[in-house]
Amino acid sequence: MEKFTLARIIHVVAVVLWIGGVAMVTTVIIPAIKKLRSKEDQIKTFEQIEGKFATQAKITTLITGISGFYMLYMLYVLDAWDRYLDYRFWWIHAMTLVWIIFTLVLYVLEPLVLHKLFKEYAEKNPAKTFSIMHKAHWFLLLLSLITIVGAVAGSHGWFFIN
């Protein structure tokens, strides 16, 4: 059980750094960038900050994934796999879904598609581009926060669905 506890500690710390960063980008950085006067400043500032945060996000989602899949493996070892199949533990599925979405965005979509689209559309219409991006970040942040609330409550036996 000590390894499981250590995995949970690592998992929670990684999630705090990852989703905390998403919250900072969503509630502080994007709104501040949207207020910059020139589109050149908006694009340059966003790319500088995004480049640094992308590294943190990639590392923390990787650590979150490794620790999360280890804990799923432990459910199997402890013969508690039925929790993954019980609808009251919806938050386990939500954690997996949120991780998959962010991993796809960070490791696949952003480097292959989103970065090019951002540059192209930000040059043409920065206000609309940052607005769409801001809404997408809000959606991901809210999905993440709902998942966190469900995971903390559910792991302490407080189920929203009976």
Side-chain angles (χ1 to χ4, degrees), residues 102-159:
F102 274 95
T103 299
L104 284 174
V105 168
L106 290 168
Y107 286 97
V108 179
L109 296 176
E110 199 281 327
L112 297 178
V113 177
L114 295 178
H115 188 74
K116 288 180 204 171
L117 285 177
F118 168 76
K119 296 247 331 167
E120 181 182 327
Y121 288 107
E123 285 292 332
K124 293 177 187 174
N125 191 342
K128 184 177 179 181
T129 302
F130 280 102
S131 177
I132 291 168
M133 186 172 50
H134 200 194
K135 288 175 184 165
H137 276 79
W138 269 112
F139 172 77
L140 292 171
L141 177 60
L142 291 173
L143 181 63
S144 300
L145 293 176
I146 290 166
T147 301
I148 290 168
V149 168
V152 171
S155 65
H156 290 280
W158 189 19
F159 300 108

Side-chain angles (χ1 to χ4, degrees), residues 43-112:
I43 295 168
K44 180 183 172 190
T45 304
F46 178 76
E47 287 189 330
Q48 287 175 337
I49 294 169
E50 186 267 341
K52 292 191 182 297
F53 178 63
T55 302
Q56 174 186 328
K58 285 178 181 177
I59 292 168
T60 54
T61 55
L62 179 63
I63 294 168
T64 299
I66 292 168
S67 58
F69 284 111
Y70 175 79
M71 288 187 290
L72 282 177
Y73 167 73
M74 290 303 294
L75 284 179
Y76 172 75
V77 169
L78 298 172
D79 198 28
W81 192 247
D82 59 325
R83 288 184 176 196
Y84 202 74
L85 303 174
D86 186 338
Y87 67 90
R88 292 177 302 155
F89 293 89
W90 62 269
W91 45 271
I92 297 175
H93 299 84
M95 286 191 296
T96 307
L97 176 66
V98 167
W99 180 82
I100 288 169
I101 291 169
F102 274 95
T103 299
L104 284 174
V105 168
L106 290 168
Y107 286 97
V108 179
L109 296 176
E110 199 281 327
L112 297 178

